[in-house]
Amino acid sequence: MAERVLMKGNEAIAEAAIAAGCRHFFGYPITPQTEVAAYMSKRMPKIGGVYLQGESEVASINMVLGAGAAGARVMTSTSSPGISLMSEGISYIAGSDVPCLIINVQRGGPGLGGIQPSQADYCQATKATGHGDFHMLVFAPSTVQEMVDLVAGAFDLGDKYRMPAMVLSDGMLGQMMEPVALPEPKEVDNDSKPWAACGHQNKREHNVINSLYINPQELEDLVRERYKKYEKIKETEQRAEEYLADDADIIIVAFGASSRVSRSAVDKARKEGIKVGLIRPITLWPFPEKAIWKHAGHAKAFLSVEMNMGQMVDDIRLACRCTRPVEFYGRTGGIIPTPKEVYDEIVRLNGGVQR
Amino acid sequence: MTDLNILLAGFGGQGILFTGKVIAYAGMMEGKEVSWLPSYGPEMRGGTANCSVCLSDATIGSPLVTTPDVLVAMNLPSLEKFEKDVVPGGLIIVDSSIITKKVSRDDVKVVYLDASNIAEANGFKGAANMVILGRMFRETGFCSAENLDKGLQKSIPPKKAALIDSNRKAISLGMES
């Protein structure tokens, strides 16, 4: 591994994408994501890549569709309101089976909301980013190092399954600096995409990238085929970190920034003798239901800790098949919960501290 | 040294974020887990900037410092806002060139350092942050002197390497204050 350097999450994720072979970036500035675009604007011209600021998020995501359709390893980044603007294009990308990477450095919503860290785009990312039947791969890093580590895999899995992948970050992870070791740059073989519309040179039939299917039967068949792929992904690609969960009576489920806060609260509660653990989803779609179900037998309750109004609670309920109560603690609007707040909630659920 | 949570706060332009970066890099050179989190937002000129730095032997949970072990206050609004949050037995370093008000608590150690005046009198105008850093180093010993210097060097980009020496001298002034 390379020497560790201090980097902001936003800059580290951009550098990691370049190391993963990304040479095409299209985007539009928005706080708290702007450092990703700024970093790309500096670096891409130096390495023969493309940095282009579109006239809007709508334009940028359609440029991503175009570059991805031509087989390029392509990405964009934005923050919450920007994803809403991009959602039409993301649906087209999914409907065209085109891989790409989308970074969402979440801020408070709805509407223009605020610019402080939030996780209020959970449902948007995992369930309904745009119109129609589709999913994206959604990754939730919790450290700057993990942002770096997840990027190459997100690109690779997107290519493997021919679908968009999202890294769901937030203003805290984007703005903070932590030591990070950057990966060695790797070459990407774009010839490995025989479906790409990159010029047939009279050597093959032309490839068509399209999301318009007028014949309902044709469209239903295609969507069903895609859902078979989603089932396979649900079976094989779930990822979660378990922390002190094996003997836990109370299991916190938290991702990204709120998982860090929760981990501090778990450590404090453990010192008080409370059997509490943490399951940290790393993939939000597919949701790590296996990890939840595995612990549903011994856990007395789950506690979802989020920086929103409880958007993940239903997924935990489904994953534990409603066999355990799923409680919720969260802050929203751009406020990061404190370890003390989460600890107090653990104590409340535990019925106090028994010595 | 155990874990140390540091909150640096002052006006935008006083080098609050840079000071945090030097501390974080020095901690990293010391082999600690570190995090650096700035306040960000529609900051107005003359408004406040602050920065949370965590140094720990273990994985860092929340990087947001809500109960600092060390508070560095470089303007009055920062002192008034964060004074109450410092843990009992913690340390508050006040730039007394700028803040004339006294800390009202008696369960924390308070250092009143004439940092801005010391910096200016020695030809390092604008380096009050480094004078304070030197003093904080002396008070807490959060890393070795060697690693503090490495942290400083790492925090200054190669193009601005000429600035290392003046910052180093300003840190020394703080250490000797």
Side-chain angles (χ1 to χ4, degrees):
Chain A
M1 274 300 218
E3 186 197 357
R4 295 208 305 171
V5 291
L6 274 184
M7 272 181 113
K8 276 192 168 195
N10 281 343
E11 294 177 342
I13 207 164
E15 187 56 42
I18 289 169
C22 176
R23 291 294 179 274
H24 296 79
F25 180 96
F26 306 97
Y28 190 82
I30 179 171
T31 303
Q33 162 279 157
T34 300
E35 292 85 359
V36 184
Y39 192 89
M40 286 298 195
S41 74
K42 275 188 219 150
R43 285 279 281 135
M44 281 298 194
K46 290 182 184 157
I47 54 172
V50 174
Y51 167 84
L52 203 157
Q53 181 178 321
E55 70 269 34
S56 68
E57 286 86 350
V58 176
S60 300
I61 194 67
N62 281 289
M63 292 173 190
V64 170
L65 169 56
R73 184 157 271 205
V74 57
M75 70 179 281
T76 186
S77 66
T78 185
S79 177
S80 308
I83 294 289
S84 295
L85 284 163
M86 288 185 179
S87 63
E88 181 201 40
I90 295 171
S91 172
Y92 279 48
I93 289 169
S96 306
D97 297 310
V98 165
C100 68
L101 181 66
I102 299 155
I103 313 286
N104 181 1
V105 187
Q106 295 168 96
R107 56 189 254 180
L112 274 176
I115 59 172
Q116 297 302 320
S118 162
Q119 297 178 327
D121 302 346
Y122 175 88
C123 282
Q124 184 195 43
T126 58
K127 292 173 177 65
T129 318
H131 60 280
D133 294 309
F134 80 93
H135 282 294
M136 287 187 296
L137 297 157
V138 183
F139 298 90
S142 68
T143 65
V144 175
Q145 183 67 58
E146 196 177 28
M147 288 172 100
V148 165
D149 296 343
L150 287 175
V151 163
F155 271 123
D156 289 345
L157 282 183
D159 283 353
K160 179 179 175 183
Y161 294 111
R162 285 188 64 183
M163 62 191 288
M166 175 179 275
V167 172
L168 195 64
S169 174
D170 62 67
M172 186 185 100
L173 292 168
Q175 293 295 325
M176 71 185 286
M177 284 202 287
E178 279 185 317
V180 61
L182 293 162
E184 291 297 315
K186 73 172 191 179
E187 293 295 320
V188 180
D189 178 15
N190 281 329
D191 295 338
S192 65
K193 296 176 179 171
W195 49 264
C198 52
H200 55 69
Q201 296 174 330
N202 291 321
K203 288 176 185 164
R204 58 164 169 79
E205 285 294 303
H206 66 276
N207 288 334
V208 176
I209 305 289
N210 172 46
S211 70
L212 176 66
Y213 295 88
I214 291 295
N215 179 336
Q217 193 56 57
E218 196 185 351
L219 182 54
E220 187 191 45
D221 292 348
L222 186 65
V223 170
R224 282 189 185 282
E225 203 55 43
R226 223 171 260 138
Y227 269 71
K228 279 186 201 162
K229 176 172 78 181
Y230 295 157
E231 283 307 312
K232 188 180 161 201
I233 293 168
K234 281 185 190 174
E235 195 51 45
T236 56
E237 305 293 354
Q238 293 180 22
R239 288 176 65 187
E241 181 192 11
E242 296 171 21
Y243 179 66
L244 305 178
D246 284 340
D247 67 338
D249 295 332
I250 300 166
I251 294 184
I252 294 181
V253 184
F255 65 94
S258 56
S259 74
R260 298 178 64 121
V261 177
S262 300
R263 193 183 162 111
S264 297
V266 166
D267 286 340
K268 184 171 159 60
R270 279 277 173 179
K271 279 184 194 149
E272 302 294 332
I274 301 175
K275 285 186 175 177
V276 56
L278 173 69
I279 296 176
R280 179 175 72 84
I282 297 170
T283 54
L284 297 180
W285 195 93
F287 190 72
E289 48 195 30
K290 290 179 192 174
I292 307 276
W293 181 241
K294 187 172 102 184
H295 294 290
H298 64 81
K300 292 179 182 138
F302 290 94
L303 171 63
S304 188
V305 178
E306 306 173 59
M307 280 147 59
N308 59 44
M309 291 303 286
Q311 297 185 17
M312 187 168 64
V313 168
D314 285 349
D315 283 340
I316 302 167
R317 282 192 185 125
L318 286 174
C320 74
R321 302 174 202 179
C322 295
T323 56
R324 293 291 179 272
V326 179
E327 304 281 335
F328 169 69
Y329 181 78
R331 298 298 300 265
T332 196
I335 295 173
I336 303 169
T338 64
K340 172 78 164 58
E341 289 168 8
V342 179
Y343 169 79
D344 288 346
E345 193 62 20
I346 293 168
V347 171
R348 189 188 68 77
L349 277 180
N350 193 56
V353 178
Q354 286 96 23
R355 296 265 180 191
Chain B
M1 188 198 87
T2 52
D3 297 358
L4 199 63
N5 296 317
I6 303 158
L7 187 61
L8 307 137
F11 290 121
Q14 284 179 317
I16 294 291
L17 302 186
F18 175 77
T19 310
K21 191 174 176 183
V22 176
I23 294 168
Y25 251 126
M28 190 181 115
M29 301 317 284
E30 189 83 8
K32 299 278 177 191
E33 298 293 330
V34 305
S35 68
W36 174 98
L37 179 72
S39 62
Y40 67 92
E43 306 293 2
M44 60 184 181
R45 185 165 147 176
T48 58
N50 72 71
C51 174
S52 295
V53 179
C54 302
L55 308 176
S56 177
D57 292 323
T59 304
I60 291 167
S62 179
L64 179 68
V65 173
T66 49
T67 52
D69 301 304
V70 178
L71 170 66
V72 169
M74 291 186 72
N75 68 5
L76 183 60
S78 298
L79 181 64
E80 288 178 334
K81 185 172 179 190
F82 297 119
E83 176 186 334
K84 65 181 187 321
D85 300 329
V86 177
V87 298
L91 170 69
I92 300 178
I93 303 181
V94 175
D95 185 342
S96 56
S97 313
I98 295 169
I99 308 167
T100 50
K101 194 184 164 194
K102 299 293 173 196
V103 173
S104 55
R105 289 174 60 174
D106 55 10
D107 61 343
V108 292
K109 178 171 183 185
V110 185
V111 172
Y112 297 99
L113 184 60
D114 198 14
S116 295
N117 290 336
I118 291 173
E120 191 164 354
N122 287 276
F124 304 119
K125 189 167 187 255
N129 59 335
M130 293 293 103
V131 176
I132 288 173
L133 174 59
R135 183 61 182 262
M136 196 199 111
F137 168 80
R138 197 183 95 193
E139 296 286 340
T140 64
F142 70 90
C143 68
S144 71
E146 188 191 349
N147 283 331
L148 179 63
D149 196 65
K150 280 188 191 166
L152 174 66
Q153 292 180 51
K154 287 261 181 194
S155 302
I156 295 180
K159 277 183 194 166
K160 295 184 180 171
L163 296 173
I164 292 176
D165 204 45
S166 57
N167 279 286
R168 192 180 273 150
K169 284 176 182 157
I171 290 173
S172 298
L173 288 171
M175 288 180 187
E176 293 152 11
S177 64

